[in-house]
Amino acid sequence: MTPTDIADDSAELLPIATGARTRAALRTLIRPDRGRAILGLGVLVGATAVGLLVQPLLGRIVDIVADGRPADALTLPVVLLLVVAVVQGVTTTLGLTQVARLGETVLARLREQFIERALQLPADRLERAGAGDLTARVTGDVARVAEAVRSALPEMARSVLAIVLTLGAMALLDVRFLLAALLAVPVQALTARWYVTRAVTVYADQRVANGAQQQQLLETIGGAVTVRGHRLEEQHTEKSAARSRRAVELTMRSVHLVLGFYARLHIAEYIGLAAVLVTGFFLVRDGSVSIGTATAAALYFHSLFGPVNAALVLLDDAQSAAAGLARLVGVTDLQEGTDLQRSTDLKTSAVRLPHQRTTSDAAVTVDAVSHAYGPGRTVLHEVSLTVRAGEHVALVGTSGAGKSTLARLVAGVQQPTGGTVSVAEGKTAPSVVLVTQEVHVFTGTLAEDLRLARPDATDADLRTALATVHALEWAEALPEGLATVVGEGGHRLDPARAQQLALARLVLADPPVAVLDEATAEAGSAGARTLERSAEAALAGRTALVVAHRLTQAVAADRIVVLEAGRVVESGTHDELRTADGPYATLWHAWSGSRAAPHL
């Protein structure tokens, strides 16, 4: 498998914003802090202008020495040099501080938008992209942009100002010095163009390759047991090596690109400095300028080495950061684009309306909903379902029937590709809370983990929620009770207790509608009944849609809806369906051990 094949077999990556869209997004991010931007720029202009007095003062010293004047004539220019150094140092610090604060504020705003939009993306879209792509963006790309904001942005601002003002100062000395200095510009411009046209592609490809590499590592490590079980170690090792080779190849291309960039810049420096020195020689010989003025001009051009090289070298950071920023903006734009596309292109579908009541007693209304995870992968076919306020409905069916997909659509985690899902508005927000079998225990104290659902909850509220789901006893038995650190690096909770924690969060959030997607599946036989009791208590007084892992949950439900191949085939109470000799009866007899049947 070639590196190209590796790139081609990547998942359906999240979009990357165009250059125009990235610039527009950046302007939008900066707009709230325009005052700080203007202040920082103004102070930097002043600092740079003050610094430009150094060269004329040094030229003045040269003229004094060349004319043989007394030593006390040097006092004033030397004192002025000290004053310039102090003033420039103070103003530069103030200006860079303002620019740095602006950059950090913009970066924080971008991070918040990225996380907000990423959390709102449909789950199937993230699944198609793969965890590696999103992980690379939220880590590598954010880090690259942050590095540019903290170092490249202030340095670039100062360098550009220094270049512009220094060239202006050279023109004031004698316009011919400026013309001589500008001989370096064509070489520098061609160098910048040569670099930029190549760097954009290289750095964009490099970020994609890093995402593909991370995705492969995540899949290999996360599925290590399966890989070993099917003897796939060699194939996965080769895939990881191939994607790593691709990433290394692109890194080396960027290194060669930078080396060529520096070599061309040195040529430009030699051309410009030689031109200024030759011009100074002829002007001094003709008496047009003094030796001190020619010295100042040479020093001005020499002082440009740092800013010009810094500005051009920062193109490297700028291109890398721009590639990362485009990938971040691509995600921040995706949710808006997805919603717009759904509202305009899907004539038979509508975006979920989380606060719309369709009938007086309907808490959830699913109307002709279809859903596909891609072409030819339709999992739901025009499903219609109404759940009355306070009703508990169990979804039952064989594996792959579409139960979890329907539950996620009702919870708003995914959007339907056809039809509508409406949920009645409740007095609390959110209107719907989803609890799945995949529960995450966040790092922090048990109390902090619980307060994720309701930040203003008191300790008494937390204990009440834990008691409701029959978890208070073990919670208070922890080493430090509610103050015990849980999650990564803390006290480990077994799957049953982690699920009770999730159910306690459900109680604290107090939504009118709850969706449980096999929320008791992680418990073994011993803990199954305890978790079912916890779930039953958490759902009390709420409208509930439960994907039943065990048919005991279906028995306790007010109504059972049976799905087969993405369609509703039966609906009724347990007793009605058990005696109807339909699909549910088959499942019930198989589950209860009456006769063999497909595994639930």
Side-chain angles (χ1 to χ4, degrees), residues 354-480:
H355 299 299
Q356 177 176 323
R357 186 181 295 277
T358 56
T359 64
S360 59
D361 63 346
V364 177
T365 302
V366 178
D367 184 18
V369 161
S370 297
H371 190 73
Y373 289 101
R377 298 177 57 197
T378 302
V379 294
L380 291 177
H381 304 271
E382 296 188 352
V383 172
S384 293
L385 172 66
T386 298
V387 182
R388 296 184 299 276
E391 185 181 23
H392 289 188
V393 173
L395 295 179
V396 171
T398 56
S399 179
K403 305 184 299 296
S404 292
T405 298
L406 180 57
R408 292 162 82 175
L409 293 177
V410 171
V413 175
Q414 294 174 210
Q415 303 292 343
T417 53
T420 61
V421 177
S422 299
V423 178
E425 184 178 0
K427 296 180 180 179
T428 61
S431 297
V432 186
V433 168
L434 170 69
V435 180
T436 70
Q437 61 178 316
E438 299 174 358
V439 175
H440 183 74
V441 179
F442 295 88
T443 301
T445 66
L446 183 64
E448 291 171 341
D449 203 304
L450 287 167
R451 286 194 175 97
L452 290 171
R454 205 174 96 202
D456 61 347
T458 64
D459 285 352
D461 295 330
L462 303 185
R463 290 188 173 86
T464 299
L466 289 168
T468 299
V469 298
H470 310 290
L472 182 59
E473 183 177 350
W474 64 256
E476 291 187 329
L478 293 175
E480 297 179 55

